[in-house]
Amino acid sequence: MIRIQEILDKVSSKHKDANLELIQRAYIFAATAHAGQTRLSGEPYLSHPLAVADTLADMGFDEPTIAAGLLHDTVEDTGVDIDTIADNFGDEVADIVDGVTKISRIPFDNKEEAQAENIRKMILAMSHDMRVIMVKLADRLHNMSTLDFQKAYKQKRIAQETMDIYAPLANRLGLYVIMRRLEDLSFKYLRPDVYNMIVHWLEDHQVVEKRIIENVVSMLKDFLASNGIAGEVYGRIKHKYSIYKKMLAESLTLDEMHDIMAFRVIVKDIKDCYAVLGLVHQQWKPVHGRFKDYISMPKANGYQSLHTTVIGPDGERIEVQIRTEEMHRQAEHGIAAHWLYKEHGRINSKDLAQFSWLNEIFERQREEADSKEFMHSLKMDLFQDEVYVYTPAGDVKELPDGATPLDFAFHIHTKVGQHCAGAKVNGRLVPLSRPLKNGDTVEIITDPSRNPNRDWLKIVKTARARNRIQHYIRTEERMRAIQLGREMLEKEGRKVSINVARCAKEGQLSIVAQDMTFDSLDDLYAGVGYAHVTPRKVLNRLYAVLHPGEAAAAQQKTEPVQEQAQVQETPAKTKLPAGGVAISGVDGVLMRFAQCCNPVPGDPIVGYISRGAGITVHRADCPNVPNMEPERLISVHWEGGEEEVAKPYEGGIFVIARNQSGALAAIAKVLADAGVNITSANIKALVDGRSTLHFVVEVKNATQLYEVITAIGKLPSVTEAVRDSENADATAEAKA
């Protein structure tokens, strides 16, 4: 177990006149609070806060942060409250402890929502004081290092969460030492087979690797000395997870692996960096396309260095990183390096311009209510590597790898993105979906009449662009839902002699909206348009307002509204007979059957709220359903039994048959014998002597449809007969 004196020594070595007494008091307080508690490993619980504080001391954090590291579990795991922490150690320490505390008294529907809410809390705490996330990362690092004592299912869950959130977050904050350790520890539990294979392979090759590293380090030192450049040289094997990622990316086996050794040259100033780069390229052949200048174009988290890959003295690919001492400090400790120079006070996101992406996350967590979408956006922000492109004016913009001109447009400004009509990359028109490359110059062509559409979500890679597009689409959908709801109410109102428009103008409808807990009339209209509430229910309430004390009469008077519960938007606009479709718990909504899958009674079905067209009914297995917005899918069911259906429904049949005399007549006879009418047929000859036949037929239900398909399949000339879904357009309904 780490001793408190070791931590105090590290703090005093990095901070002159450090307030060691604060840390000592925090240690005594934590030891008392956790007395008698043990970890799953059997160690005293105090070993955990000591390990967290030690990691923070290694990173160079100030005394309040390290004190908070010692105290971070006292509120969660002992009887101490946050006010006691504030009384004993001040508000600064208490704020950090409060931000890190993992207690959550809010019930959640599922684990994904609970994780999203915890991340939201972490993001909010980070916006207040960046040290909160540093303590959290140090806490997660020690928990990962003792994960062996957890049950297997917990190991995988915690490791996956670490790989999904904490390791990428450490990377974006420039905490590469923490990131590498978190990745390797997570990798150990997520893919133990591959992890152990890499470990054994490295052990088997360590003698050769050690010799190569010593040789290259010696040569690099000679280059520096012979050219009068002062500096240090280090060599290492890349961490295990990065080796695994390289294997996947390049489809390599371990024996085919190259470029697993990295060397670091640390010099005094920037001109020496470029001088060393020239010496390295002069001595060893550089690998094309593997040079990156992060000095002239730093990463978003402030990282600066020169990276080059060369063919080393033994024919091995080796990576050489060249940086100054200040760049190295930033590279190893990222955002934590700022505390080495800040004398007083806390640092928050506004102090650090290079972490502007964090501010976007802070804003987004307030805007995005859906937990899944928030987590998706967060991972988009954290996981991506960077690509650097230029504006026509020569300004450098950083985007995630794989970003498109559309991402670039939204990065420039929301309005530029919304009205993006095209893009030029390096002076040439390109598709908006084209991935950008380092060094591209991008010019956006705008058109005021152009607006986002749902297809854009398939193009963009950045969370910013995705959220702006979704916000626009949601706004447009709401406007259409309001319009549809108003029209539905006015239409049904006319049937019962209620002038809905006048009631809205005179205020009676506003009373109904308030009574039904809607914030405004528009919210009420949208509720009707989205089928969250039926026109009949609204009109019942409105009648009661217009004629107080006559609730019974209102029920009788609005009966015609109820009679319209099942309306199919066919060209004839006929009322569905028994066996039609009903929305679970809702009536009075216009419905139509989707032409892409032609559902018939007996099919499992689902409803989709279409823009301006009520509810569209699809088969549950329709190929379009997975591409639809989940929030607009609703439960529907067939009303009545299949035997009650009086009106035929259209269904599709797809047949492949040999081109021989009488084949078509035989299929037609099967359909005629079953009492099935053919409404259309499309026949196409194939080059192999067969034909494809698409039939649209009228059937009573799914049972009858599948019976005739089976009968057709038994014909000697038929090689295949299935239900036809060829005409399903995967984007038609999404754009509806």
Side-chain angles (χ1 to χ4, degrees):
M1 188 167 72
I2 296 166
R3 296 183 178 182
I4 187 62
Q5 190 57 49
E6 298 174 41
I7 297 171
L8 294 172
D9 291 342
K10 290 178 181 179
V11 174
S12 58
S13 68
K14 294 183 178 181
H15 297 276
K16 293 181 180 180
D17 303 322
N19 184 7
L20 300 181
E21 188 265 342
L22 176 68
I23 298 174
Q24 289 172 320
R25 286 194 294 112
Y27 166 70
I28 295 170
F29 189 97
T32 303
H34 291 296
Q37 295 181 346
T38 57
R39 303 267 291 173
L40 290 177
S41 62
E43 288 184 299
Y45 193 90
L46 189 62
S47 63
H48 173 62
L50 279 168
V52 171
D54 186 62
T55 298
L56 294 168
D58 281 335
M59 295 165 69
F61 278 101
D62 55 10
E63 305 92 288
T65 311
I66 294 169
L70 289 166
L71 299 166
H72 78 277
D73 274 341
T74 54
V75 175
E76 179 181 356
D77 296 330
T78 73
V80 177
D81 59 35
I82 198 66
D83 291 334
T84 303
I85 299 295
D87 291 342
N88 284 272
F89 302 98
D91 291 339
E92 188 173 12
V93 174
D95 285 347
I96 301 173
V97 173
D98 191 42
V100 177
T101 298
K102 297 184 290 292
I103 292 179
S104 177
R105 297 183 177 92
I106 304 173
F108 301 104
D109 294 334
N110 54 55
K111 289 183 179 179
E112 184 172 22
E113 283 195 12
Q115 184 195 54
E117 190 60 28
N118 286 335
I119 298 300
R120 283 180 187 271
K121 288 183 177 181
M122 186 172 68
I123 296 297
L124 279 171
M126 286 167 60
S127 66
H128 179 61
D129 191 334
M130 293 293 293
R131 290 172 292 186
V132 171
I133 189 57
M134 305 307 163
V135 178
K136 186 72 175 176
L137 287 170
D139 170 62
R140 179 53 63 108
L141 180 61
H142 185 250
N143 284 335
M144 288 299 299
S145 67
T146 58
L147 207 55
D148 278 341
F149 302 98
Q150 292 282 0
K151 294 180 180 179
Y153 77 93
K154 283 190 175 182
Q155 289 176 345
K156 288 196 173 182
R157 177 180 62 78
I158 295 170
Q160 191 63 60
E161 184 181 79
T162 302
M163 191 70 87
D164 286 347
I165 301 297
Y166 292 97
L169 186 56
N171 175 49
R172 287 303 302 262
L173 292 171
L175 303 168
Y176 295 115
V177 173
I178 302 295
M179 178 205 71
R180 288 192 289 267
R181 292 169 66 185
L182 288 175
E183 284 185 340
D184 277 354
L185 288 167
S186 301
F187 180 37
K188 174 183 176 182
Y189 295 101
L190 294 175
R191 291 299 307 271
D193 51 341
V194 183
Y195 177 88
N196 291 326
M197 181 177 67
I198 292 175
V199 169
H200 294 147
W201 186 84
L202 291 174
E203 288 173 351
D204 292 341
H205 293 78
Q206 62 180 332
V207 174
V208 175
E209 290 161 357
K210 184 178 179 181
R211 179 184 60 79
I212 294 174
I213 289 173
E214 289 176 348
N215 184 30
V216 173
V217 167
S218 177
M219 294 181 72
L220 287 170
K221 286 182 176 179
D222 288 343
F223 296 162
L224 297 182
S226 60
N227 288 274
I229 300 174
E232 297 292 331
V233 181
Y234 305 95
R236 63 176 176 85
I237 299 295
K238 293 183 178 180
H239 68 293
K240 301 172 188 65
Y241 184 65
S242 69
I243 293 174
Y244 172 65
K245 287 197 298 183
K246 190 175 182 66
M247 289 172 61
L248 289 181
E250 301 182 18
S251 301
L252 300 173
T253 65
L254 272 172
D255 290 331
E256 295 171 332
M257 281 295 293
H258 51 75
D259 192 15
I260 66 169
M261 286 171 280
F263 298 86
R264 191 167 294 145
V265 181
I266 302 171
V267 295
K268 296 293 183 182
D269 52 42
I270 292 178
K271 67 178 179 62
D272 288 341
C273 291
Y274 289 97
V276 172
L277 177 68
L279 292 172
V280 169
H281 284 178
Q282 182 179 343
Q283 181 66 30
W284 296 312
K285 182 180 179 181
V287 177
H288 179 69
R290 296 299 302 274
F291 168 66
K292 294 181 180 179
D293 185 350
Y294 293 120
I295 291 180
S296 61
M297 289 192 296
K299 291 188 177 184
N301 57 21
Y303 176 87
Q304 289 184 289
S305 187
L306 297 176
H307 289 196
T308 186
T309 301
V310 297
I311 306 300
D314 294 295
E316 286 280 335
R317 283 191 179 191
I318 58 174
E319 182 182 7
V320 182
Q321 300 172 358
I322 309 164
R323 60 182 68 145
T324 65
E325 293 174 355
E326 169 60 26
M327 294 173 189
H328 180 63
R329 188 160 38 238
Q330 173 76 24
E332 290 299 289
H333 299 299
I335 194 172
H338 292 266
W339 271 268
L340 296 174
Y341 303 101
K342 195 170 180 70
E343 294 295 330
H344 301 288
R346 67 185 58 175
I347 291 180
N348 59 42
S349 61
K350 294 179 181 177
D351 293 320
L352 305 171
Q354 66 266 45
F355 294 101
S356 58
W357 59 274
L358 271 175
N359 291 320
E360 289 190 18
I361 295 179
F362 301 151
E363 293 300 320
R364 193 177 310 121
Q365 69 81 29
R366 287 196 287 265
E367 296 173 359
E368 187 56 69
D370 183 76
S371 297
K372 289 184 179 180
E373 189 58 40
F374 170 71
M375 292 296 288
H376 178 72
S377 298
L378 182 65
K379 290 175 183 179
M380 287 176 72
D381 277 321
L382 297 183
F383 265 120
Q384 304 289 350
D385 291 328
E386 299 85 9
V387 61
Y388 298 92
V389 296
Y390 295 92
T391 67
D395 296 329
V396 178
K397 300 295 180 182
E398 183 214 17
L399 293 167
D401 189 26
T404 65
L406 197 53
D407 289 295
F408 177 87
F410 278 98
H411 185 81
I412 297 300
H413 195 278
T414 298
K415 289 187 177 179
V416 175
Q418 286 182 343
H419 300 308
C420 178
K424 290 183 179 180
V425 174
N426 303 324
R428 300 181 64 181
L429 282 170
V430 299
L432 290 178
S433 58
R434 174 191 180 277
L436 298 174
K437 299 178 181 178
N438 273 317
D440 281 346
T441 297
V442 187
E443 178 185 352
I444 299 299
I445 302 168
T446 59
D447 179 352
S449 64
R450 184 71 178 267
N451 289 302
N453 59 67
R454 189 158 297 279
D455 287 340
W456 282 14
L457 293 173
K458 301 174 184 178
I459 296 175
V460 297
K461 302 296 181 183
T462 60
R464 176 187 177 90
R466 181 180 180 85
N467 281 295
R468 295 296 181 269
I469 295 167
Q470 287 180 324
H471 176 73
Y472 178 86
I473 291 172
R474 282 195 295 265
T475 301
E476 287 294 301
E477 286 175 355
R478 175 176 165 79
M479 291 173 63
R480 294 181 183 182
I482 289 170
Q483 181 181 356
L484 175 63
R486 183 186 294 110
E487 291 173 355
M488 291 171 68
L489 275 176
E490 291 177 353
K491 177 180 179 181
E492 299 303 326
R494 285 193 292 271
K495 295 177 182 178
V496 292
S497 303
I498 294 177
N499 189 326
V500 173
R502 186 173 64 190
C503 291
K505 185 177 181 180
E506 295 178 354
Q508 293 96 336
L509 194 58
S510 294
I511 296 173
V512 173
Q514 186 176 6
D515 185 48
M516 298 179 74
T517 69
F518 289 103
D519 292 333
S520 66
L521 268 182
D522 281 348
D523 286 344
L524 173 61
Y525 291 141
V528 175
Y530 280 130
H532 295 157
V533 62
T534 66
R536 178 170 60 88
K537 186 174 183 179
V538 176
L539 292 173
N540 282 340
R541 298 287 189 97
L542 182 57
Y543 191 91
V545 171
L546 294 172
H547 306 281
E550 299 182 23
Q555 177 67 35
Q556 181 179 2
K557 192 161 187 174
T558 55
E559 194 65 32
V561 180
Q562 187 174 9
E563 293 175 4
Q564 301 300 321
Q566 310 302 334
V567 179
Q568 180 187 15
E569 283 194 353
T570 59
K573 294 194 175 180
T574 57
K575 187 175 75 173
L576 288 179
V581 177
I583 305 171
S584 300
V586 179
D587 57 12
V589 178
L590 297 177
M591 285 187 287
R592 62 188 175 91
F593 290 132
Q595 298 300 307
C596 56
C597 56
N598 290 320
V600 298
D603 285 332
I605 54 175
V606 65
Y608 183 74
I609 303 171
S610 301
R611 298 185 182 92
I615 308 300
T616 306
V617 181
H618 291 259
R619 288 191 352 232
D621 61 351
C622 175
N624 291 337
V625 171
N627 297 320
M628 296 176 186
E629 303 163 66
E631 64 270 17
R632 291 168 64 189
L633 293 172
I634 61 172
S635 175
V636 296
H637 60 272
W638 295 104
E639 193 171 61
E642 293 182 25
E643 68 281 354
E644 300 176 12
V645 177
K647 173 184 177 298
Y649 291 79
E650 289 189 341
I653 302 175
F654 173 72
V655 179
I656 299 179
R658 285 183 286 274
N659 288 333
Q660 58 187 53
S661 177
L664 181 58
I667 295 172
K669 185 176 185 304
V670 169
L671 293 171
D673 290 346
V676 174
N677 180 47
I678 302 174
T679 60
S680 70
N682 184 10
I683 304 173
K684 182 179 179 181
L686 303 177
V687 294
D688 61 357
R690 298 181 300 167
S691 293
T692 60
L693 302 92
H694 295 270
F695 296 100
V696 177
V697 298
E698 292 182 333
V699 294
K700 294 181 179 180
N701 50 49
T703 301
Q704 185 183 29
L705 177 62
Y706 284 110
E707 283 177 351
V708 297
I709 289 174
T710 301
I712 292 171
K714 292 178 180 179
L715 295 174
S717 60
V718 173
T719 59
E720 183 179 356
V722 294
R723 191 165 180 177
D724 188 9
S725 295
E726 180 181 287
N727 295 323
D729 180 355
T731 61
E733 186 59 37
K735 295 178 180 178

